[in-house]
Amino acid sequence: MAEHAPREDDFDEVTQDRFSLSVNGVADFLSMRSAKPTVSLLSPSGDDGSTASVMLARSIAELGRSVVLVDMTVSGCPTRLMAQETKLAGISDLLFGETPFGETIHHDRLSNAHLVPQGNAPPVHTAGLIERLTMVLNALADTYDTVLLEFGAADIEGVTTLLKYIDTEVVLSLPDGDDQRTAETLLELRTLGYSEVVVMSGSHSADRTAA
C-alpha cells in the first residue's frame, strides 16, 4: 500500500503556507539584501511560466540591478524572447563544447538584462557535468547581482539533483494560477526537501510600493 501517498489535507497545508507574489513582487523580494544571488525557476506549465521568468529578469533590471537569465529549458522559450538573433552560443556550448565563457553572454533585446541562451551544442554524456555547471554558475554569481536559472517544465526530481550543489532560492513560476498544479508541485518539492518556495503567479502586476 502507498502509505506515503499525499492526502487531501497535505494539499491544504501546502496551499495555505505558500509564499505567492506577482512578477514585480518577486523582483522586489530577490532585490533584498538577504536574498540569495542564484535563483532556480521551475515552470511546470511550460512556456507561459518561462515567459513570466523573462518578465522577472526585465523587472529586476528595471530596479537597476545586474541580472542574467540562463536558459536551461528544453523549449528554448527564454532565448526566443530575449535574444537579438538566432543561433547564439549559450549554456550548452559551455557545458558540451569549447566555446569561451564570454561568448555565451548576450544582451536582452528589450532591457538591460543579460542572457545565456540555450545554445547550439547537442547534449552528450560527459564526466564532471555538474562540476562544470556549478563553476559556471559561481562565476556568474560573482559577476551579477542576480542569476536566474530557468528550467521550464523540466523533471523536478532531476532539477533538485542539481540544486543540491547550488545555494539557491527556488521560485515556482505558474502565471495561470492553477491552485491544484501549484499544490501538487509544492508538495513534490517539499517531499524532495524544498519547503521554502516562492510562487510567482498572476501578471506583471503592480504590488511594488514606491520607495
Side-chain angles (χ1 to χ4, degrees):
M1 298 290 291
E3 61 180 77
H4 298 296
R7 301 167 299 173
E8 184 176 352
D9 54 350
D10 289 331
F11 290 108
D12 292 340
E13 180 183 356
V14 171
T15 302
Q16 291 169 4
D17 290 347
R18 75 187 188 206
F19 180 16
S20 183
L21 294 169
S22 74
V23 170
N24 281 343
V26 175
D28 289 339
F29 168 71
L30 296 178
S31 298
M32 296 171 58
R33 183 170 298 179
S34 59
K36 298 173 183 177
T38 303
V39 183
S40 299
L41 290 134
L42 307 172
S43 302
S45 58
D47 285 357
D48 63 336
S50 296
T51 299
S53 297
V54 170
M55 294 166 62
L56 173 64
R58 291 169 175 166
S59 183
I60 293 172
E62 287 175 3
L63 293 173
R65 294 176 61 83
S66 60
V67 56
V68 61
L69 186 149
V70 183
D71 187 351
M72 304 287 291
T73 69
V74 173
S75 72
C77 174
T79 298
R80 293 195 303 273
L81 293 175
M82 298 179 74
Q84 300 188 34
E85 57 186 276
T86 60
K87 302 298 182 181
L88 293 174
I91 188 65
S92 65
D93 302 283
L94 274 177
L95 299 179
F96 308 116
E98 302 296 332
T99 304
F101 187 82
E103 293 182 13
T104 65
I105 302 174
H106 308 274
H107 290 279
D108 175 31
R109 62 189 182 87
L110 295 179
S111 76
N112 290 327
H114 286 175
L115 165 72
V116 177
Q118 183 185 44
N120 305 305
V124 295
H125 293 290
T126 180
L129 180 60
I130 289 180
E131 182 179 358
R132 291 176 67 180
L133 179 58
T134 302
M135 290 176 60
V136 168
L137 297 180
N138 287 338
L140 290 172
D142 287 340
T143 304
Y144 292 89
D145 295 325
T146 304
V147 179
L148 303 177
L149 310 178
E150 171 55 31
F151 288 96
D155 172 68
I156 290 177
E157 187 170 358
V159 171
T160 56
T161 298
L162 166 63
L163 298 190
K164 293 175 184 177
Y165 301 90
I166 304 170
D167 188 22
T168 181
E169 303 281 0
V170 178
V171 175
L172 186 61
S173 181
L174 271 172
D176 59 5
D178 186 331
D179 286 341
Q180 180 69 14
R181 191 200 299 265
T182 300
E184 290 174 352
T185 307
L186 288 174
L187 186 58
E188 182 177 1
L189 285 166
R190 176 178 288 183
T191 301
L192 292 168
Y194 294 87
S195 57
E196 296 184 4
V197 178
V198 177
V199 178
M200 184 167 68
S201 60
S203 62
H204 197 276
S205 58
D207 56 1
R208 177 174 295 156
T209 56

